[in-house]
């Protein structure tokens, strides 16, 4: 396994992002883990989620340009997926930010997209908090699109579904 100074873990809900990150920390040691969840509703921004998100992702790209040991649990890749259907604005601005902040030069960063095989998966259990459990296949397709649009140079797709339809061994 090649080791990178930073990782970005993305994918639809309930695919094991947290589990993977715990395994990575146990193997690699300390990394600063930064979780990107839904946009904060701050009075400074009123109902403007876009400004909050943009500032958040600009800052995260600045951090990635350092040699800090970082793991991002979700990122701007998810913004490209969720902004349109759930936040009411276009999320593809994040790819312009990638260019602006020179993410194509960040060879020390590994983008990992977790996916499931919907033709055989039997491991999904709703947590009741996901955006829309019935939109998982569409959201995953949007994650594929965002993954391939990203200019980060080191990327990997990992299918979490084993041959029997359950989760693959987390090792």
């Amino acid at each position: 396994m090649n080791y990178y100074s930073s990782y970005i873990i993305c994918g639809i809900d309930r695919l094991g992002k947290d589990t993977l990150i715990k395994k990575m920390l146990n193997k690699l040691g300390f990394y600063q883990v930064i979780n990107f969840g839904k946009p904060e509703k701050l009075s400074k921004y009123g109902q403007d989620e876009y400004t909050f998100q943009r500032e958040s992702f600009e800052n995260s790209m600045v951090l990635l340009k350092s040699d800090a040991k970082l793991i991002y649990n979700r990122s701007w890749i998810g913004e490209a997926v969720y902004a349109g259907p759930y936040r009411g604005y276009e999320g593809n601005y994040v790819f312009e930010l990638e260019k602006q902040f020179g993410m194509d030069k960040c060879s020390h960063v590994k983008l990992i997209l977790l996916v499931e095989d919907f033709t055989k998966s039997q491991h999904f259990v709703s947590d009741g908090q996901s955006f829309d459990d019935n939109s998982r296949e569409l959201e995953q397709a949007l994650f594929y699109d965002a993954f391939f649009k990203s200019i980060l140079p080191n990327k990997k797709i990992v299918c979490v579904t084993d041959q029997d339809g359950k989760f693959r061994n987390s090792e």
Side-chain angles (χ1 to χ4, degrees):
M1 174 180 200
N2 290 333
Y3 297 105
Y4 296 86
S5 63
S6 294
Y7 295 88
I8 301 170
I9 313 299
C10 295
I12 60 175
D13 288 346
R14 312 293 294 161
L15 288 188
K17 292 180 289 295
D18 294 322
T19 301
L20 174 61
I21 290 168
K22 285 179 188 173
K23 294 281 185 180
M24 291 172 69
L25 292 172
N26 279 315
K27 183 171 181 120
L28 302 174
F30 174 80
Y31 274 73
Q32 186 69 51
V33 178
I34 300 173
N35 289 293
F36 291 90
K38 295 176 184 173
E40 295 284 329
K41 302 275 189 187
L42 302 178
S43 58
K44 173 181 171 106
Y45 301 115
Q47 296 299 311
D48 181 14
E49 294 175 318
Y50 169 81
T51 301
F52 175 90
Q53 291 291 83
R54 184 178 181 100
E55 288 181 13
S56 170
F57 298 130
E58 287 174 351
N59 189 64
S60 67
M61 290 179 193
V62 168
L63 286 173
L64 275 182
K65 293 187 79 173
S66 74
D67 285 332
K69 294 170 69 174
L70 303 168
I71 297 177
Y72 288 174
N73 186 344
R74 301 173 182 83
S75 75
W76 60 86
I77 301 299
E79 174 77 343
V81 172
Y82 297 122
Y86 300 108
R87 297 186 189 119
Y89 59 86
E90 179 59 47
N92 281 330
Y93 72 91
V94 298
F95 303 115
E96 289 305 314
L97 289 179
E98 281 190 337
K99 291 176 191 167
Q100 179 183 339
F101 286 91
M103 292 294 100
D104 58 327
K105 308 272 190 293
C106 290
S107 59
H108 63 286
V109 177
K110 180 80 165 204
L111 172 60
I112 300 172
L113 175 62
L114 300 183
V115 299
E116 75 177 284
D117 181 344
F118 291 109
T119 65
K120 59 183 154 192
S121 68
Q122 302 170 14
H123 50 73
F124 174 69
V125 177
S126 178
D127 64 358
Q129 299 175 8
S130 299
F131 289 113
D132 180 357
D133 291 342
N134 297 317
S135 297
R136 293 173 59 76
E137 289 187 51
L138 171 61
E139 290 172 3
Q140 182 164 285
L142 294 172
F143 265 105
Y144 274 112
D145 289 345
F147 177 85
F148 290 114
K149 283 181 186 174
S150 173
I151 62 172
L152 285 163
N154 294 308
K155 303 187 259 191
K156 182 174 182 87
I157 296 173
V158 177
C159 181
V160 302
T161 309
D162 208 346
Q163 294 300 322
D164 63 2
K166 297 178 180 165
F167 275 112
R168 287 176 53 193
N169 181 316
S170 61
E171 297 302 318

